Amino acid sequence: MSMATRTDTQSPAPDGADSHGLIRVHGARENNLKDVSVEIPKRRLTVFTGVSGSGKSSLVFDTIAAESQRLINETYSAFVQGFMPTLARPEVDVLDGLTTAITVDQQRMGADPRSTVGTATDANAMLRILFSRLGEPHIGPPSAYAFNVPSVRASGAITVERGAKKAVKATFTRTGGMCTRCEGRGAVSDIDLTQLYDDSKSLTEGAITVPGYTGGGWNSRLYSESGFVDPDKPIRKYTKKELHDFLHREPTRMKIAGINMTYEGLIPRIQKSMLSKDKEAMQPHIRAFVERAVTFTTCPECDGTRLSEGARSSKIEKISIADTCAMQISDLAEWVRGLAEPTVAPLLTALQQSLDSFVEIGLGYLALDRPAGTLSGGEAQRVKMIRHLGSSLTDVTYVFDEPTTGLHPHDIQRMNDLLLRLRDKGNTVLVVEHKPQTIAIADHVVDLGPGAGTAGGTVCFEGTVEGLRAGDTVTGRHLGDRAALKETVRKPTGTLEIRGATSHNLQSVDVDIPLGVLCVVTGVAGSGKSSLVHGSIPAGAGVVSVDQGAIKGSRRSNPATYTGLLDPIRKAFAKTNGVKPALFSANSEGACPTCNGAGVIYTDLAMMAGVATTCEECEGKRYQASVLEYHLGGRDISEVLAMSVNEAEEFFGSGEAHTPAAQRVLGRLADVGLGYLSLGQPLTTLSGGERQRLKLATHMAEKGGVYVLDEPTAGLHLADVEQLLGLLDGLVDSGKSVIVVEHHQAVMAHADWIIDLGPGAGHDGGKIVFEGTPADLVAARSTLTGEHLATYVGA
């Protein structure tokens, strides 16, 4: 890539200010990088490629972007730094020529029930100001239209201490727009009483069906011996007062069976003991009960709009703020265009630009009241991009993590245009990407590899896309790969009937999903794929659903604890050495006392950046020294956890360490392409694609008959996609049904049956536009997907 030639005669050699046309990285060693040195041209589009786990994110995010962020934070005063995330300097010798980096990653947006697409962007704030200026009747300032602001009234004296003290009478009111019933959540939780007790039985006969309240334990004796109700009378025959005492009575101190106890109604008691707890942390049978007993219904007072009556009554041209948030954004943009009010002209212009960016980036099908937690990773990433599209900053480094995730080939074209537009403004754009369609537009390519994990971490190629194609790297060889359509497709063994599906934008869809084959559901982003698959396939018995959501786990969790692999390993160690298994858990008795089994010690330095140092006592091994004296097959537990999946599979396969239970789990991890992961690597350091495959490996042990996968190719290199297809084929051949929501053409070509949704997104989608075999789809070319697939297979 030659630098632009200079025409002025003053300085023929680029020196001083003009020599900084590169970002130089020397000796990067973050995670698995092996002394990597690269030079990245500025104001160009550079794409980083390589198999999953080769070190792309370590180089781009953990080294370049992290250091840029850290240097910016250091320019603030120590006081301000105290409120910022603490960052340690990445492991790198030289980093030169950095500019301000803005990262747009795929972390899902927070699932707070009050966070919506409108609150996550500036659209809601602008609408609230608009309504407080123009809405009729006028009900108050912008906060009066905000469902996150409760109304407050207070009055009393405040004392001002200035010279002679004096008390001032003050009344304070704030008008908020929060619905008082559901507190701005739009839904209220109801308890389904039929799940708590069987009203045809009496208490003695075991009417209460809550887990832990059956049998003759204290929980059930509290009610049957309280004296408030007759334990031998069926619940349906209780008087009003008896039923109230049984279900709702406030806490009352009293003697029951001669012991001082607090009696309270069944509902408040369950609410305290079960419903206020984190669902993820519960035992499975209690979680199942809570999911059955608590039903969420739309709030009857605000109709799910989250807003108080006042806020809903104020209108502009017969439309309330609740109506605007429920509209599809592309329609809302048209409505705003029709408002001509000179007093708020600048506001209308800004609002219009914001809404137009949604449409332009392909999210015009969303509505502003859509909860942010329900967006897919790709959608969340594009919502975050909206802020930067209209920005007039130049010479900024934009860092993207697979911006094409969740995009149909038709939408990738638009994403490419956006990336090029950011570059043409004079910015440096760094993209981590696997799709050939986006790699093709790069000015400069850095290919990492050759393998994953310890086999990766080196630069295999640096240069142009043509050079990459000609070069002999894994990425170069696979760039031109085209999957062929299958010669023969499998015959379904049965069908799953979906009738009249209407969730989200589905327009009363009837479809038969074939079972016993590989069925791919496709369509442009927002056409209703996830709604159909997750909303209409009952997630009951025999359905295993693997999505891209984050794994719940702390920095202590690792693949061995998450997959349940540690259990057979601990038992094998315990049995061989004649001690108890808890010693071999770093979260239990075997933990090093100095770092509590974390392996590192976190020191918080108040305002300065905190430091994580390897624990000196256990040298990062996380175990007490005495535990490491116990061996299995010549290795101690910390050495076993440092092994990669492939090494461990060999180790537990034969000899003294032969453990079939451990081997089964390791085999599944290797099948999903995670053979390079080390067993003790913290989950927090895994990439999105790795997390999803780890979930898949864990779920493969379940007895499910139907597997529902949401974009399993996310974060997979072209070379890894082949392995994934082999895995899916294996599942189908073993008698399972596999349903995949996917945009990757190689997966479509490999399917036995395709269901294509569309024709567009939002209310232009939600219909089935094609169902049949991939060959028929290519032959017909009647849909967007058909055209792209035909081009892909070269038909």
Side-chain angles (χ1 to χ4, degrees), residues 670-693:
D671 283 346
V672 295
L674 292 177
Y676 60 88
L677 274 193
S678 79
L679 303 184
Q681 184 178 339
L683 288 190
T684 45
T685 61
L686 299 188
S687 69
E690 287 170 337
R691 284 199 296 259
Q692 193 182 13
R693 299 205 296 292

Side-chain angles (χ1 to χ4, degrees), residues 228-291:
F228 288 122
V229 292
D230 176 355
D232 299 318
K233 183 159 81 172
I235 294 182
R236 62 167 62 144
K237 297 206 173 136
Y238 282 7
T239 60
K240 241 188 172 155
K241 179 174 182 331
E242 283 182 312
L243 196 59
H244 175 82
D245 283 341
F246 171 51
L247 290 177
H248 300 287
R249 193 179 174 99
E250 291 77 55
T252 316
R253 292 288 295 164
M254 55 189 293
K255 265 199 161 73
I256 298 179
I259 299 169
N260 283 334
M261 291 185 77
T262 301
Y263 172 90
E264 68 180 319
L266 184 62
I267 288 180
R269 197 170 155 157
I270 292 175
Q271 263 170 330
K272 283 180 194 152
S273 65
M274 296 181 188
L275 307 187
S276 57
K277 300 254 172 40
D278 175 25
K279 274 219 303 234
E280 292 294 328
M282 293 177 177
Q283 292 165 294
H285 69 285
I286 295 185
R287 185 187 318 167
F289 162 74
V290 171
E291 282 168 356

Side-chain angles (χ1 to χ4, degrees), residues 243-580:
L243 196 59
H244 175 82
D245 283 341
F246 171 51
L247 290 177
H248 300 287
R249 193 179 174 99
E250 291 77 55
T252 316
R253 292 288 295 164
M254 55 189 293
K255 265 199 161 73
I256 298 179
I259 299 169
N260 283 334
M261 291 185 77
T262 301
Y263 172 90
E264 68 180 319
L266 184 62
I267 288 180
R269 197 170 155 157
I270 292 175
Q271 263 170 330
K272 283 180 194 152
S273 65
M274 296 181 188
L275 307 187
S276 57
K277 300 254 172 40
D278 175 25
K279 274 219 303 234
E280 292 294 328
M282 293 177 177
Q283 292 165 294
H285 69 285
I286 295 185
R287 185 187 318 167
F289 162 74
V290 171
E291 282 168 356
R292 278 199 317 272
V294 181
T295 52
F296 281 95
T297 49
T298 307
C299 169
E301 251 174 61
C302 65
D303 231 356
T305 59
R306 307 154 176 258
L307 289 158
S308 65
E309 198 179 339
R312 297 197 310 273
S313 68
S314 172
K315 299 189 171 176
I316 301 177
E317 293 184 1
K318 298 186 183 148
I319 286 202
S320 73
I321 190 163
D323 301 334
T324 61
C325 291
M327 280 183 189
Q328 187 165 308
I329 291 174
S330 49
D331 299 342
L332 179 58
E334 287 306 311
W335 180 76
V336 172
R337 227 169 248 124
L339 298 177
E341 188 61 52
T343 54
V344 288
L347 178 67
L348 286 172
T349 318
L351 180 57
Q352 230 169 305
Q353 279 175 343
S354 176
L355 295 171
D356 287 343
S357 326
F358 270 102
V359 178
E360 185 181 355
I361 206 164
L363 292 177
Y365 59 89
L366 294 177
L368 293 180
D369 61 5
R370 167 93 174 255
T374 63
L375 297 178
S376 68
E379 285 172 334
Q381 186 181 35
R382 299 205 291 289
V383 166
K384 291 178 196 165
M385 270 183 79
I386 285 172
R387 291 230 172 103
H388 308 304
L389 287 181
S391 158
S392 41
L393 288 171
T394 65
D395 248 340
V396 175
T397 303
Y398 283 98
V399 188
F400 289 96
D401 184 7
E402 284 191 60
T404 59
T405 300
L407 287 183
H408 186 268
H410 169 70
D411 301 315
I412 292 182
Q413 198 52 55
R414 285 159 94 171
M415 179 56 82
N416 283 351
D417 295 343
L418 287 171
L419 294 173
L420 292 170
R421 217 173 77 198
L422 283 173
R423 176 201 69 184
D424 294 343
K425 270 191 188 171
N427 296 310
T428 308
V429 182
L430 309 181
V431 185
V432 172
E433 187 54 85
H434 295 291
K435 300 258 170 79
Q437 223 174 321
T438 300
I439 296 175
I441 62 164
D443 300 314
H444 188 77
V445 181
V446 177
D447 186 26
L448 289 152
T454 46
T458 58
V459 174
C460 302
F461 172 84
E462 227 184 318
T464 60
V465 181
E466 287 69 46
L468 177 68
R469 275 216 168 87
D472 191 31
T473 67
V474 179
T475 310
R477 285 199 298 273
H478 285 278
L479 254 191
D481 272 11
R482 290 293 176 260
L485 290 171
K486 273 184 174 165
E487 303 274 313
T488 55
V489 293
R490 286 175 275 233
K491 291 279 173 279
T493 54
T495 53
L496 183 70
E497 291 185 4
I498 293 178
R499 292 292 174 264
T502 53
S503 63
H504 297 312
N505 64 336
L506 295 178
Q507 304 184 10
S508 173
V509 169
D510 297 339
V511 64
D512 292 337
I513 296 185
L515 296 176
V517 296
L518 176 58
C519 172
V520 171
V521 179
T522 177
V524 292
S527 58
K529 304 179 298 296
S530 300
S531 308
L532 180 69
V533 172
H534 295 304
S536 311
I537 296 175
V543 176
V544 175
S545 177
V546 184
D547 62 4
Q548 292 181 26
I551 287 180
K552 293 278 189 297
S554 63
R555 51 189 174 209
R556 290 174 170 273
S557 314
N558 53 41
T561 57
Y562 182 76
T563 55
L565 171 67
L566 198 57
D567 293 340
I569 294 182
R570 282 197 307 238
K571 284 180 187 141
F573 265 97
K575 195 171 158 196
T576 308
N577 295 293
V579 290
K580 58 183 182 184

Side-chain angles (χ1 to χ4, degrees), residues 534-746:
H534 295 304
S536 311
I537 296 175
V543 176
V544 175
S545 177
V546 184
D547 62 4
Q548 292 181 26
I551 287 180
K552 293 278 189 297
S554 63
R555 51 189 174 209
R556 290 174 170 273
S557 314
N558 53 41
T561 57
Y562 182 76
T563 55
L565 171 67
L566 198 57
D567 293 340
I569 294 182
R570 282 197 307 238
K571 284 180 187 141
F573 265 97
K575 195 171 158 196
T576 308
N577 295 293
V579 290
K580 58 183 182 184
L583 278 177
F584 300 100
S585 163
N587 295 333
S588 180
E589 291 187 22
C592 156
T594 312
C595 62
N596 288 331
V600 287
I601 292 174
Y602 294 95
T603 319
D604 188 16
L605 299 175
M607 306 186 176
M608 313 298 282
V611 193
T613 46
T614 306
C615 169
E616 287 178 6
E617 188 165 327
C618 64
E619 294 171 352
K621 291 181 176 167
R622 304 173 49 190
Y623 288 94
Q624 291 178 22
S626 58
V627 176
L628 301 181
E629 286 165 16
Y630 299 115
H631 286 78
L632 174 69
R635 300 286 183 96
D636 65 40
I637 181 84
S638 71
E639 289 171 329
V640 169
L641 288 177
M643 292 179 181
S644 71
V645 169
N646 292 341
E647 289 170 56
E649 198 176 3
E650 209 171 293
F651 176 72
F652 287 111
S654 57
E656 186 203 349
H658 184 58
T659 315
Q663 232 196 319
R664 281 196 292 276
V665 181
L666 290 162
R668 288 198 293 270
L669 285 170
D671 283 346
V672 295
L674 292 177
Y676 60 88
L677 274 193
S678 79
L679 303 184
Q681 184 178 339
L683 288 190
T684 45
T685 61
L686 299 188
S687 69
E690 287 170 337
R691 284 199 296 259
Q692 193 182 13
R693 299 205 296 292
L694 183 61
K695 281 188 192 174
L696 179 59
T698 311
H699 285 309
M700 277 168 63
E702 292 176 18
K703 293 286 176 271
V706 179
Y707 281 78
V708 178
L709 308 180
D710 199 346
E711 282 197 63
T713 59
L716 275 187
H717 186 264
L718 299 160
D720 297 330
V721 172
E722 290 174 18
Q723 185 173 5
L724 179 81
L725 290 174
L727 173 72
L728 297 180
D729 274 344
L731 279 174
V732 175
D733 294 338
S734 68
K736 313 269 190 214
S737 305
V738 181
I739 301 167
V740 188
V741 173
E742 188 55 87
H743 295 291
H744 202 295
Q745 287 118 319

Side-chain angles (χ1 to χ4, degrees), residues 50 52 63 114 138 217 326 504 600 750 765:
S52 186
T63 306
R114 292 202 196 94
H138 178 74
H504 297 312
V600 287
H750 199 76

